[in-house]
Structures are given as C-alpha cells and as structure tokens.
Amino acid sequence: MTQSLLHQILDYANRPDPYPIYEELRKTPVHHEEDGPYVVSTYYEIRSLLHDPRISSDARNLASTARDPLAESAQEEESALPPSFLRLDPPEHDRLRRMTNRTFGPPHSPHRVDGMRGELHGIVSGLIDGIGDTGRFDLVEQFSYPFPVTVICRLLGVPREDEARFHTWADTIAASLDPDPDADPAERGKASHDARTQLGMYLAGLIEERRRRPGDDILSELATAKGQDGTMTTMELLSTAALLLIAGHETTVNLVTNGMLTLLRNPDVLQQLRADPRLAVPIVEELLRFEPPVQLVPQRTTLADIEVRGVTIPKGASLWLVLASGNRDPQRFEDPDRFDPDRRDIQHLGLGSGIHSCFGAPLARLEAQLALSELARRLENPRLLEDPPPYRQNAVLRGPRHLPLACDGIRP
C-alpha cells in the first residue's frame, strides 16, 4: 500500500533526502489527511502563519476532537515541568522571553555572545587538535556534539563534567518532538515526563547553589535578577533553564554536521572557504536555507478558523509548518535545490520567524561560522567515508547521527 505523504516524511528510510517528498507536498500547499494535522509547505504561507496571532504554540488550545500525539505528549509532560516560553503565547511568552533575553543579548547584555569569540575559537581548536586517528573519525562524536555542549554549559554555568548525566535526558526530550507515527504516545509521554523530572531536579540543585553563590553566568543572573517584569518563579526558571540547555546544543550539532556534509559534497565551496574564512558568513546563511537543522514545526494550534490558499483550517486544529519545504519553494527561491552561498536574496526560514524565532540565533550563527571555517582550514584533504551517513531518528531535528570522515592530516 502506498504510504501517505505525511508518513513518507516521517519514514526513517527517507531521512537522508526528504526533499523530493517536500516537492510533492508543495503541490498541495495545505495538505490534510483524515484525523491528521493540517500541513503547510510553501514559503509565503508558512511565513505568514508564523506571524499570525491566531496561531497558538500552547498545546492546551488543541481541540479535543483533533488528534496530535505530540500535543498529547506535551500535555502529559506538564506535571514534570511547566511549558517553556517556546510553548506559550503572549503575554506569558513575551514576559519570559524578555526576562531571559536580558541575560543573553542586547540591549542589556550586548556583548555576551560576541565576547565569547576568542573562547569559542579556543574550544574549536582544542577539539580539532584532539581528533587523533585521521584515517577514520566521527565528526559528530569528536566535534559537532562536544563543541556546542561545552559552549552552552559555560554560558549557563552548568558543569561540563555533568554532560553524561544530562545527555540521556536531553536526547529523550528532543525525541519527544518527533511525530513518529509508530511510537506509543503514552509510552513516549512517560519517558519524556521522567526525563524532564530528572533534568528539573538536577537544575533545581544548580539554581539553589547559584542563589547562594552567584557567578558570572546566565543561570546565576536568571536566579537573582529583579527587573520590570519581576522575577521568575522557581518552576519558570527550571523550564527556561531546561529549554536553554537542550535547545542550546541540539540544533547546533545538526547545523555544524549538515554544514560539513554539504561542504564535502560541494568541494569547490569548501576550497573557497579554506582560502577565505570570511565566506563562512554567507555559507552558514545558505546552509540554514538549504539544510535547516529544524525541518518542521509540528506543535501549533489555530485559535480561529483560518483560510490558507482556499482551504479553511478550523479552530482548534493541529498545524504543522514544514520550514525545510518552504526553504526549497521555487516560488520564493530561484533554483532552490542548488547550494549557492552567493545567493543574494536569502530570507530563509531556517531559524523560524515571528515571535518564536530562534532565541539563540546569534550564538548558533557564530558557532557554525567558526566551526566550519576552522574545519575547512585545518583538515587536510577531508573526505566522506559514508554517503549518505547514518541519520538520527528524529524528523524534526534532522541531522546525521554519525559523520565518518578521513583526512590526510591536521594543519596547525
């Protein structure tokens, strides 16, 4: 029996290359299968909906008649930790995001990210120095994963040596974002609930310690800050810290790994980057369009009937926005399936848009730029050992689970 388009997107067999399926999906810009979500796949419609106040990020607004195992899982998790601001609507979302941003970016902390440039370069250099056997190494295990984990731990004030403790919790929580049709919603909800509970207990201990002895880190500032929006409750602080810890590395792992995979498939661009590290800026922007680390946003709900391209999406419906499909929409981007860092008009959806646009975008961009420029400069004749490489199960946070490479040596 022929699989539905939705099941084809979620089928692990299609993880290495979902883009032909997205092309088919765009023929019906608003795709709806019986008892399933409404799936929007074209650029202009996705962008409009990301800015539409009638679209809710709060799973509690999903109508009882709508079936979405992800929303059910999200509701199961609430007893562990309250929703992070990523899953809230204004005004609650705006208040928590403002309070978090005071510690992270302008105008209150304008130099926090850029001021880490030298430290980030040192972490990148150390990881490349430690690759060891250049005859075969895994870029994910030896570079793409430890780099952003080390960075977010330093930013938050989480001990790097505790990574082994929160790694499993983070993987379980990230997996709960994946709309796997074969997964048992109750079982997945319990696993995510347990992981969030354990992570919450771990973070609660760190927060209490920071309240007693504040340091120069985001966790300390969040735990002690008092501003125009007041202070976060303990539960709000826990859910925000969990969000920053997980989102602070999960997507960047994919961005760096997808980036290196794409460069190795486009050796002329890799050579240009090796000769001129400044090209990392446009290369990363094109990567965010061409191979976005977040492929789709599956947890949105309509607060009213909304007409999109002649289709009425009813109030309380589950809505999925396929960002990666919008980024390859030929109605928006010329020759969209070609990787072209010289592309001039590149307002991609790789970091979202609207009030829920990626909170850590400045950091993710800087990490990817430094990582890819140094890998291009220092790896001598790098080459893929498996193409396609093995991918993660997750269809939302799509990226290689391993990226086996070889090179002829490491330049100083």
Side-chain angles (χ1 to χ4, degrees), residues 50 57 294-300 319-323 352 396:
L50 286 171
S57 298
V294 178
Q295 293 272 296
L296 61 132
V297 176
Q299 293 173 316
R300 294 290 187 269
L319 181 67
W320 292 9
L321 305 176
V322 189
L323 307 180
V396 175

Side-chain angles (χ1 to χ4, degrees), residues 6-7 9-11 37 68-70 174-183 188 296 298 320 394-397:
L6 207 57
H7 277 73
I9 291 172
L10 303 178
D11 187 341
D68 189 334
L70 279 178
S176 72
L177 298 173
D178 185 31
D180 182 355
D182 298 322
R188 179 166 56 180
L296 61 132
W320 292 9
N394 204 312
V396 175
L397 303 176

Side-chain angles (χ1 to χ4, degrees), residues 269-317:
V269 180
L270 179 62
Q271 184 60 42
Q272 292 168 19
L273 178 59
R274 180 178 295 123
D276 186 358
R278 294 173 299 179
L279 295 178
V281 174
I283 284 172
V284 167
E285 289 310 303
E286 174 68 344
L287 279 169
L288 286 164
R289 182 197 70 83
F290 188 75
E291 286 279 28
V294 178
Q295 293 272 296
L296 61 132
V297 176
Q299 293 173 316
R300 294 290 187 269
T301 308
T302 50
L303 298 177
D305 289 359
I306 300 176
E307 185 174 325
V308 180
R309 294 285 287 266
V311 175
T312 298
I313 304 176
K315 178 181 178 180

Side-chain angles (χ1 to χ4, degrees), residues 81 156-158 199-214 217-224 232-242:
L81 285 175
L156 285 177
V158 173
L199 179 58
M201 292 172 63
Y202 167 73
L203 290 171
L206 288 182
I207 288 166
E208 185 57 35
E209 183 181 320
R210 294 301 182 278
R211 281 174 171 158
R212 291 198 306 265
R213 290 186 296 275
D217 56 69
I218 289 178
L219 209 55
S220 294
E221 291 186 31
L222 288 174
T224 59
M232 286 189 189
T233 67
T234 297
M235 295 304 285
E236 288 173 341
L237 184 52
L238 287 175
S239 64
T240 299

Side-chain angles (χ1 to χ4, degrees), residues 97-114 155 218 221 359-360 362-363:
R97 181 161 174 146
R98 272 197 310 268
M99 294 172 75
T100 308
N101 195 61
R102 289 178 67 91
T103 70
F104 191 79
H108 303 287
S109 306
H111 304 297
R112 186 181 290 276
V113 172
D114 194 63
L155 268 172
I218 289 178
E221 291 186 31
F359 181 85
L363 178 61

Side-chain angles (χ1 to χ4, degrees), residues 142-210:
Q142 295 175 250
F143 185 87
S144 302
Y145 178 79
F147 174 39
V149 166
T150 300
V151 173
I152 198 61
C153 283
R154 291 192 186 180
L155 268 172
L156 285 177
V158 173
R160 179 63 176 84
E161 58 269 23
D162 287 351
E163 182 273 334
R165 296 179 64 186
F166 66 74
H167 188 172
T168 302
W169 303 331
D171 278 354
T172 301
I173 295 168
S176 72
L177 298 173
D178 185 31
D180 182 355
D182 298 322
D184 181 340
E187 183 178 321
R188 179 166 56 180
K190 182 181 185 306
S192 181
H193 175 276
D194 291 347
R196 287 168 64 86
T197 299
Q198 291 175 294
L199 179 58
M201 292 172 63
Y202 167 73
L203 290 171
L206 288 182
I207 288 166
E208 185 57 35
E209 183 181 320
R210 294 301 182 278

